[in-house]
Amino acid sequence: MILFDGGMGTMLQKAGLPTGGCPDYYNISHPEIVQSIHKAYAEAGAHYITTNTFGSSPIKLSDYDLQDKVEEIAEAAVANARKGGGRNIEVAGDMGPTGEFIAPIGDLSFDEACENYYRLARALANAGADALIIETIIDIQEMKAALIAAKAASHLPVFCTMTYAEDGRTIPGTDPITATVLLDALGADAIGANCSVGPDKLISVAEKIISSTSKPVLIQPNAGMPILENGETRFPLGPEEFASYVPEYAALGIDIMGGCCGTTPGHIRALKEAFERNPKADKKPVKPFTALTSRAKTVFIGDDYGPVKIGERINPTGRKKMREDLQRGSFVSIKKEGLAEVSAGADVLDINMGAPGIDQAKAMVTAVSQLSMLCPVPFSIDSTDPKVVEAALKVYPGRPLINSINGADLEAADRILDLAKKYGAAVLCLPLEKGNLPKTADERIRVARGLIERALAHGLRKEDILLDPLVLTIGSSDTGARETLRTISLYKKEFGLACVMGTSNVSFGLPSRPRINAAFLTMAFACGMNAPIINPLDQGIQDAFINAKLLLGFDPGAMNFIKAASAAAEPVPRKKEVSSLPPLDQLKEAVKSGDKEEASGLVKAVLDSGISSEILIKEGLTKAMTEIGDGYGAGKVYLPQVMMAAEAMQAAFREIKKLLPDMKSAAKGTLVIGTVKGDIHDLGKNIVSALMENSGYKVIDLGKDVEPEVFIKTVKEQKADLVGLCSLMTTTLPELEETVRQLKELTPETDILVGGAVVTQDYANKIGAPHYCKDGIASVRIANEIIEKRKNG
């Protein structure tokens, strides 16, 4: 059993780090204190000592105007860990979050994030660290950037730990299996979870991670959630209670364990003793699998799983309206198609931007960015141009399929295979050769074998590779379909890899194409086809999938088949197309779909239909966001979709003001917001600010590390209706209490909202904060209730 150390920040605070001080700079200003903490952890039994560099990346150090000290701090930190930890200790160079979201959720670009982490990773490696650990990350896209940067900066092992909330997902909605699938493909050397919650809450997270990877698994819980006791903030779990969960972790076969916030050398010593009494069990072997992920969902592809639908409709080839939209820079039709395909049951969306006269890389970035905020399913990046593929891979927050490589352009194939390895993508191999369109199954097997060998030589795993049998139109060859089906069967026999095919190619140039496609698809399923690219809106295709899942044993008790058959026997009125709904309902759906252009464009139609602006706002915009909020609370909608919906609503507000300039300001009220004194973490605060502003509030954002006097002064000057106080660091909870006290005394007419990662309802009650907001959606809901109550007297 390998043990990591425990909390550093809370230990430094006990040793005298002042509120608002830079913990990382203590490596230089107070090396003896840092070394003594490392020594205590080593003596407690830790095998790995983590450097005091959690916030030492350029972006984080800029909060203290220390961004030019990255290398100096990293060198001092590794030296302190070596000196304090002793000769037999392994040193893990620590890299924490930037505190910013990567676009399109935030403003930080993927390249900027990579540059930020590369500099710190290289500095830690040059200083002599034995490994790197990227920890406390909530956004899978940020972890992806950090891991790619760390791998580029050195050859050191890289450990990756995400931070999950009590519901088992990160704030943007990523679950442990989804994160693990991507991180494993990206080459993480150990995968796990840390911070946020206590050891009891992370057991189920650890179980999911262990079931999804053969890599070592690392878990570092907090010593419970902080509580207020006798005017002091403390973590509730002492060493013995913290270690009492070891038998459950040992039974799972956990490989590495340590502690996070609130844990001490005593907690690590207790872990060591508990693991000596409860040796870890052997983990169950994880059978290799092929999977694609979005930010919030994993789709498994292979013979052990049911057939997967890959939607084909986001492709301008042969579609005049979509092509013309792209050429004039509009993505409305793209988003509508994506949402329609997901609604029809597509498991994966194939995205092709092959329209003439456009910058395909730029168009792909826009399409992938916007669709990934709206559609929860994984994507297939449909291009053979390495520039287009890499542009998409940088902005895609998951593990996509690259469609595709072939033997006709081996230079492009090699570049794409390198990209697949770097960005953790899967790749589809199409058996084509330069100057040769293989017509027989035997020829295709030969070409596919060469492509597979090429992919493996580039460092990809077998589970990263999928095969296309090459579907040719039956109109050009009587044996074309038969050879394709034979190819699928031979693929399974020769390689055992998952298969993908462009189904509708078989019927090109013939009448009754849906009929041919459905029949061919049924035959392909029987030969082993796993993930056909199809039109999910076609009823024949839907029936073929339902039948295949039943006949292949992926519909226990025939439940899905019976449900579909019953629906067919007793048809219900078809759901109206959105375009046939009244304008107000269309506007509501546009907001819920996050379609800014559509929402903005529908405002005039709603007003022209005789509906007042007041009804438009209340019954259209507000009701849409209420439904989105309900979906978020139920775990059916995730933060990116909420942000897109809020932006769409704000776009509609702007159009209302433009069309009705004499209308009273649509602002519901004024909110002053900031993180409390000493707290320089503002990611959560930024989310709340964006959601509140896009929900119709005037937001005065005071930023980070805000003195109580500044809150009071601004609230008075702005005559604010609301003031929002955020706290993420446990050390600043007393500042939160003091700020609440002063605001209640000096600005009693202003309602106070409090929230943050370390704030709970119980804590809010104890400090007399009237309104606790669990997250950004709760902030909007509570603010709306307050304003509505004031209006009604």
Side-chain angles (χ1 to χ4, degrees), residues 568-582:
E570 299 179 16
V572 295
R574 290 188 64 181
K575 184 179 179 181
K576 289 184 177 180
E577 295 289 333
V578 172
S579 60
S580 68
L581 296 174

Side-chain angles (χ1 to χ4, degrees), residues 454-466:
R454 205 171 196 93
L456 295 174
H458 279 261
L460 272 68
R461 310 162 300 175
K462 285 191 70 175
E463 55 265 39
D464 299 326
I465 305 168
L466 297 90

Side-chain angles (χ1 to χ4, degrees), residues 164 176-177 180 191-193 204-219 286:
Y164 300 94
I177 292 175
T180 301
I191 302 169
S204 61
V205 170
E207 187 174 13
K208 290 180 175 68
I209 296 173
I210 287 170
S211 72
S212 308
T213 183
S214 297
K215 300 283 182 67
V217 175
L218 164 62
I219 300 292
V286 177

Side-chain angles (χ1 to χ4, degrees), residues 100-283:
E100 300 183 28
F101 272 123
I102 294 177
I105 299 181
D107 297 323
L108 186 67
S109 75
F110 188 84
D111 286 339
E112 287 170 336
C114 284
E115 291 167 6
N116 174 73
Y117 283 112
Y118 180 88
R119 185 175 168 192
L120 177 56
R122 189 163 183 80
L124 290 166
N126 289 343
D130 299 301
L132 299 173
I133 180 168
I134 307 165
E135 62 172 346
T136 323
I137 306 295
I138 66 169
D139 180 15
I140 192 63
Q141 187 71 333
E142 181 173 18
M143 178 63 87
K144 179 178 172 182
L147 179 51
I148 288 173
K151 288 289 184 180
S154 79
H155 296 291
L156 297 178
V158 184
F159 302 167
C160 299
T161 58
M162 302 288 293
T163 294
Y164 300 94
E166 289 192 23
D167 64 356
R169 289 182 178 268
T170 66
I171 290 174
T174 305
D175 64 274
I177 292 175
T178 295
T180 301
V181 168
L182 176 57
L183 294 177
D184 202 337
L186 283 165
D189 296 282
I191 302 169
N194 79 299
C195 202
S196 190
V197 293
D200 55 333
K201 304 294 184 183
L202 285 183
I203 291 172
S204 61
V205 170
E207 187 174 13
K208 290 180 175 68
I209 296 173
I210 287 170
S211 72
S212 308
T213 183
S214 297
K215 300 283 182 67
V217 175
L218 164 62
I219 300 292
Q220 293 183 289
N222 286 350
M225 291 296 289
I227 60 175
L228 184 67
E229 194 172 82
N230 298 323
E232 292 186 5
T233 301
R234 71 174 186 85
F235 286 84
L237 299 185
E240 297 307 318
E241 190 175 357
F242 182 80
S244 69
Y245 295 93
V246 162
E248 293 174 77
Y249 282 104
L252 290 176
I254 199 77
D255 303 284
I256 314 168
M257 196 161 180
C260 201
C261 299
T263 59
T264 67
H267 291 77
I268 303 307
R269 183 175 291 106
L271 281 182
K272 178 184 177 183
E273 294 169 354
F275 275 110
E276 288 172 350
R277 297 190 300 269
N278 300 273
K280 80 180 187 75
D282 292 333
K283 290 191 294 185

